[in-house]
Amino acid sequence: MINQLYKEHILHLKDKYPKFKLVKKEDSRFMKFLSIFLERICPGFMSHVTTTIGYTIYQPSSYIGTKTGYKINRHEEIHIEDYHKNPMWFTLSYLLLLPSIFTMRSHWEMRAYKTTLLVNYELHGSITDKTIDWITSYFTGPMYFWMKPFRKVVRKELELERDRIYLNPQI
């Protein structure tokens, strides 16, 4: 079933965004080059991190066709949507990292992680505190360059989104 969901979602992305591509991360020379710098800050960059640039999702092959890959691709679809709406502004505001807490990156990621919460609800019927803790750690740690180091603020926003999803998962 999940492999079918994965395939259907990829077809949906190709239909919605004709320039969309899914690339095995380990097959990309560009991703290998980036990993030289990013593996120090983000261990597992090549094996555990999906990267989206423009209309291309670079995904570790171990995620392709899996439940994890499906969840991640739903998240990445939000980044593609934001890029599609305004490619210049999204790219510039996402890449300007320093100082981390004053960039738009946390805004873009929060939009995508709200979708991650929704997908967890759709697949499992709930959103656990463990999931919220995991996402909070991404915002407040090195994975995303401490983009929003205010743990309580991040957690509260995610808890409010969980409550909203429980009340009306259709929005």
Side-chain angles (χ1 to χ4, degrees):
M1 176 189 152
I2 198 63
N3 197 20
Q4 187 60 31
L5 271 177
Y6 187 98
K7 287 178 185 177
E8 288 172 7
H9 188 249
I10 294 300
L11 291 174
H12 159 77
L13 289 172
K14 286 180 179 180
D15 186 50
K16 189 173 181 180
Y17 304 105
K19 294 179 183 179
F20 170 77
K21 289 187 289 186
L22 175 66
V23 176
K24 291 180 183 176
K25 197 168 193 179
E26 55 272 21
D27 291 348
S28 167
R29 287 186 200 162
F30 180 59
M31 287 294 122
K32 288 177 186 176
F33 172 75
L34 285 180
S35 75
I36 294 167
F37 306 101
L38 294 178
E39 281 284 345
R40 293 177 188 160
I41 299 166
C42 180
F45 173 76
M46 287 299 287
S47 59
H48 293 90
V49 176
T50 297
T51 306
T52 297
I53 299 175
Y55 295 102
T56 304
I57 296 176
Y58 298 90
Q59 190 161 64
S61 60
S62 62
Y63 292 162
I64 294 175
T66 68
K67 184 190 304 187
T68 298
Y70 171 74
K71 288 181 188 180
I72 291 169
N73 288 348
R74 291 277 304 273
H75 170 109
E76 299 302 328
E77 179 179 7
I78 301 304
H79 294 319
I80 292 171
E81 179 182 305
D82 289 336
Y83 173 80
H84 181 75
K85 287 178 182 174
N86 199 330
M88 180 88 63
W89 173 242
F90 176 77
T91 303
L92 286 175
S93 66
Y94 194 89
L95 292 177
L96 295 173
L97 298 174
L98 298 174
S100 293
I101 61 174
F102 300 114
T103 68
M104 283 290 293
R105 190 170 197 189
S106 64
H107 167 76
W108 303 124
E109 286 299 336
M110 186 58 76
R111 278 182 37 78
Y113 275 108
K114 286 179 178 180
T115 295
T116 299
L117 293 177
L118 178 62
V119 173
N120 271 277
Y121 179 77
E122 290 170 354
L123 293 176
H124 308 293
S126 67
I127 302 163
T128 65
D129 283 339
K130 184 178 177 181
T131 298
I132 288 182
D133 288 339
W134 166 73
I135 295 170
T136 300
S137 72
Y138 273 22
F139 275 79
T140 60
M143 186 68 146
Y144 287 106
F145 302 100
W146 301 272
M147 68 182 165
K148 197 168 188 177
F150 311 111
R151 187 167 189 76
K152 288 181 182 179
V153 172
V154 172
R155 184 169 179 77
K156 182 69 175 171
E157 188 169 354
L158 294 168
E159 288 172 341
L160 287 171
E161 183 63 14
R162 175 176 56 187
D163 293 346
R164 190 206 59 76
I165 290 168
Y166 283 169
L167 287 173
N168 188 359
Q170 303 306 317
I171 296 176

